[in-house]
Amino acid sequence: MASLLERLKYMIEDIFGKKTYAESQRDKYKKVISGLEKQLGKTENLGDVMEQLATDYNTMEVNPDSAKGKLSTTFVTKESENRKAVEQLGTDFNGVIAEVQSKLEFARGEYSYWCDEAKREDDEMKIYQQQYYEEEERLRKEAAEEEAKRKKEKS
C-alpha cells in the first residue's frame, strides 16, 4: 500500500506541475541546446568573413597595382601588421566553434537520455496508477461485500 501512496503522491505532484529529477534534467539540457544552437547560429558566416579577408589581402597587398594612392598604402601597412593576428584569431575561433559543437552533441545526448528517462517514469506511473485504481476498486468491492454480509447477518 505504501508504494501505491508513493505513486499517488507522484501523480498529485505531476498534476501540480512539480517536476521529477529526470524532467528537470531534460528541461535543463533543452535550454542548453537551445542556447548553444543560438550562439552557433551567430558564427555561420565566419567562413565568408575569412574568405573576404583573404580576398581583400590578395587584392590590396599581393596585387597592390589594383589600388592606388593613400588607400593602398594605408591598407598594405595595416594589413601586413594585423593579417597574421587576424588569421590566428580566425583559427582559434574555428577551434572554439568545434569545441562548442562537440559540447552541443554531448548536451543533445544528455537531453535525449533524460527525455527517455522522463518518458519511462511517466509510463511507470501510468502502470502504477492502474494498479492503484485496481487496488482501490478491489478494496471498495471487499468493503461493499463485507457490508452486504453484515446486513444479511443482521436480518
Side-chain angles (χ1 to χ4, degrees), residues 78-102:
K78 294 296 180 185
E79 182 65 17
S80 61
E81 291 172 0
N82 297 320
R83 179 178 25 106
K84 288 189 182 194
V86 171
E87 287 174 352
Q88 183 60 46
L89 183 61
T91 302
D92 293 346
F93 199 56
N94 281 327
V96 169
I97 289 172
E99 183 179 337
V100 169
Q101 286 172 334
S102 72

Side-chain angles (χ1 to χ4, degrees), residues 33-84:
I33 289 169
S34 175
L36 288 175
E37 286 175 341
K38 183 177 178 183
Q39 294 302 318
L40 282 173
K42 294 176 182 179
T43 65
E44 289 176 353
N45 66 344
L46 177 64
D48 296 336
V49 170
M50 295 305 290
E51 192 175 302
Q52 184 61 45
L53 181 67
T55 301
D56 290 347
Y57 170 73
N58 288 335
T59 301
M60 299 296 270
E61 191 171 340
V62 174
N63 187 10
D65 295 335
S66 66
K68 304 285 185 213
K70 185 175 181 181
L71 177 62
S72 176
T73 306
T74 303
F75 185 85
V76 169
T77 303
K78 294 296 180 185
E79 182 65 17
S80 61
E81 291 172 0
N82 297 320
R83 179 178 25 106
K84 288 189 182 194

Side-chain angles (χ1 to χ4, degrees), residues 19 24-37 107 111:
K19 295 180 179 179
S24 65
Q25 288 296 96
R26 176 195 64 199
D27 293 346
K28 177 179 86 171
Y29 281 104
K30 184 177 182 179
K31 285 180 185 177
V32 168
I33 289 169
S34 175
L36 288 175
E37 286 175 341
Y111 174 71

Side-chain angles (χ1 to χ4, degrees), residues 95-124:
V96 169
I97 289 172
E99 183 179 337
V100 169
Q101 286 172 334
S102 72
K103 289 181 180 182
L104 175 60
E105 287 307 310
F106 172 79
R108 283 182 178 148
E110 290 294 304
Y111 174 71
S112 177
Y113 170 79
W114 288 111
C115 282
D116 292 344
E117 193 64 19
K119 184 177 180 339
R120 183 193 59 76
E121 281 182 351
D122 285 344
D123 291 344
E124 283 180 5

